[in-house]
Amino acid sequence: MTENPAPVRVLLADDEHLIRGALAALLSLEDDLEVVAQAGSGPEALAMAQAHRPDVAVLDLQMPGLDGIEVAAELRRLMPDCRCMIVTGHGRPGYLKRALEVGVRGFLPKTVSAADLAGIIRTVRSGGRYVDPELAADAISAGETPLTPRETDVLELAADGTSIAEIADRASLSQGTVRNYLSSAAGKLGAENRHAAVRIAREHGWI
């Protein structure tokens, strides 16, 4: 009688506790998957990964402290055997290329079903790659973004007219850093102010 292989050890990192808990509960129903750790921020995800040594890290794109791509890049350096996946509620095309550059093996929207997510985790663990076809098509049509991930985050937070103070609070940054990011983004996009920068970035599919 052959022994069952060890389950795939999974780290879930998402700053939305309800989503993370629901995902963990659904994945735990799969016999061959085991959620060994959960994290609510980028730095916590790194610490949990080093403590629990997961096979696959499922990372939210936008998290406090470090975004999912920054965490993936660091995990590639610290734990090259850990495969990383990015899950995002914002299918921003500019992120896909950078995610692939740092070795991310999966890039998918949060609208994916739990069953599909489980299948993609297995694919990634076995050395495969999965990129959501719609996100891939959007990335190709949008072209290369000149913005860094942090500039993109801050510009998106500024899109609804949010104050500098509120953006700083939501992004866990100082107000001076927020102003610097907004100024840099506007300069790169050739915009006279942050409102014009938001419009240009949206037109290109970068936020």
Side-chain angles (χ1 to χ4, degrees), residues 56-60 68 72 83-87 104-108 117 120-122 124-125:
V56 177
V58 180
L59 308 168
D60 186 19
R83 309 271 163 79
C84 292
M85 297 167 49
I86 297 289
V87 183
V104 167
R105 307 293 302 182
F107 197 91
L108 53 150
L117 177 61
I120 294 164
I121 288 171
R122 295 183 188 104
V124 166
R125 174 67 182 97

Side-chain angles (χ1 to χ4, degrees), residues 96-107:
L96 176 56
K97 183 169 184 290
R98 183 163 172 261
L100 296 177
E101 284 173 351
V102 302
V104 167
R105 307 293 302 182
F107 197 91

Side-chain angles (χ1 to χ4, degrees), residues 31-100:
D31 291 340
D32 60 338
L33 303 180
E34 181 186 1
V35 177
V36 295
Q38 298 183 44
S41 70
E44 188 182 4
L46 279 178
M48 286 293 181
Q50 291 179 84
H52 295 276
R53 317 300 291 185
D55 300 309
V56 177
V58 180
L59 308 168
D60 186 19
L61 177 59
Q62 293 178 301
M63 292 187 289
L66 296 166
D67 67 37
I69 296 174
E70 291 168 327
V71 172
E74 191 65 7
L75 285 179
R76 186 185 191 185
R77 184 180 71 82
L78 295 170
M79 298 169 51
D81 290 339
C82 177
R83 309 271 163 79
C84 292
M85 297 167 49
I86 297 289
V87 183
T88 175
H90 310 271
R92 292 185 290 195
Y95 274 117
L96 176 56
K97 183 169 184 290
R98 183 163 172 261
L100 296 177

Side-chain angles (χ1 to χ4, degrees), residues 128-148:
R129 190 193 301 271
Y130 179 87
V131 175
D132 178 74
E134 209 168 303
L135 294 182
D138 288 347
I140 291 166
S141 63
E144 186 75 40
T145 176
L147 305 174
T148 67

